Amino acid sequence: MRAIGGLWRWRGNPLCRTSDLAEAWLALTALLLIVFVAPLAGVLVGGAAQSALQRSVREQHEARHRVTATVVRALERSPLTVDPEGAPGEELRSRVLADWTGPDGSRHEGPVLVGIDRPDSGDRFAMWTDARGREVARPLDSATATTHAVLAGAGTAVAAAALVEAARRIVVWRMVRRRYARLEREWERAGPDWGRTGAGS
């Protein structure tokens, strides 16, 4: 921001170097990119992610079916068995042998995870299957998809802003190095005679 303010101060200033103006214009350009282009990139990426994820939500809800299963018997409970899509702090899930009828009328039996603390034979619970009755993961819900899209957009905007700022810093660093190199060359040329009487300095 100081460099941008410098654009106004440097007007007509005889002490202004070309590199000072270049640095101020670079800062102004970077600021405009961060304020306008980075959010726009985030909105575009977030919108594209939202469209793709909502399409995936629709496809999953069309391909996956909620059926009711019955507990045959409880199986040995693993202490690390958790629902990967469950809410934080949710209780550990129980492993049971269950039977269910698929959407196509086929009968199935197999081990599944249920959110029942102490499952007994005959307990009923809902589960998700494909069209053939094979167990599948719960379909993605619309709210979760929207959250992922928002995070993708925000991440893109932050990454774009960081990239612009990093590029600005690299360019300024190179400009400063060039300025010091030029100053050192000038000093070497004037250095041996500097301060000597009659040396013309």
Side-chain angles (χ1 to χ4, degrees):
M1 292 301 292
R2 286 195 306 269
I4 293 170
L7 280 174
W8 183 259
R9 287 196 310 273
W10 286 130
R11 289 177 314 117
N13 190 328
L15 297 177
C16 176
R17 297 169 295 193
T18 305
S19 60
D20 294 326
L21 278 177
E23 189 174 332
W25 279 112
L26 178 65
L28 178 61
T29 303
L31 178 66
L32 292 175
L33 288 173
I34 289 171
V35 170
F36 296 108
V37 176
L40 178 62
V43 167
L44 292 175
V45 169
Q50 172 75 341
S51 298
L53 287 169
Q54 292 300 335
R55 185 168 52 252
S56 179
V57 166
R58 287 191 298 273
E59 290 170 357
Q60 287 184 16
H61 278 275
E62 288 171 5
R64 301 178 188 187
H65 306 274
R66 189 179 176 95
V67 299
T68 301
T70 305
V71 175
V72 176
R73 62 184 167 82
L75 299 175
E76 183 179 346
R77 183 174 183 169
S78 167
L80 299 178
T81 302
V82 295
D83 180 6
E85 297 184 11
E90 187 176 296
E91 290 185 5
L92 295 178
R93 293 167 64 85
S94 303
R95 197 163 163 266
V96 300
L97 181 67
D99 66 359
W100 65 92
T101 302
D104 61 350
S106 58
R107 300 278 300 167
H108 298 270
E109 183 174 289
V112 296
L113 295 175
V114 297
I116 304 172
D117 189 25
R118 288 186 169 77
D120 290 324
S121 297
D123 286 348
R124 296 168 71 80
F125 61 94
M127 62 179 289
W128 291 91
T129 69
D130 61 13
R132 295 184 178 181
R134 292 173 298 200
E135 182 188 11
V136 293
R138 180 177 58 211
L140 184 66
D141 63 89
S142 183
T144 302
T146 299
T147 301
H148 290 323
V150 169
L151 290 175
T156 299
V158 169
L163 187 63
V164 169
E165 177 60 13
R168 185 195 70 81
R169 286 175 181 263
I170 289 170
V171 172
V172 168
W173 174 73
R174 293 189 64 175
M175 288 170 64
V176 169
R177 283 193 54 158
R178 225 178 288 149
R179 185 185 303 155
Y180 283 145
R182 191 164 48 245
L183 181 63
E184 196 164 323
R185 284 194 304 270
E186 293 293 329
W187 182 254
E188 284 175 1
R189 196 172 63 190
D193 295 329
W194 184 80
R196 289 171 54 186
T197 305
S201 56

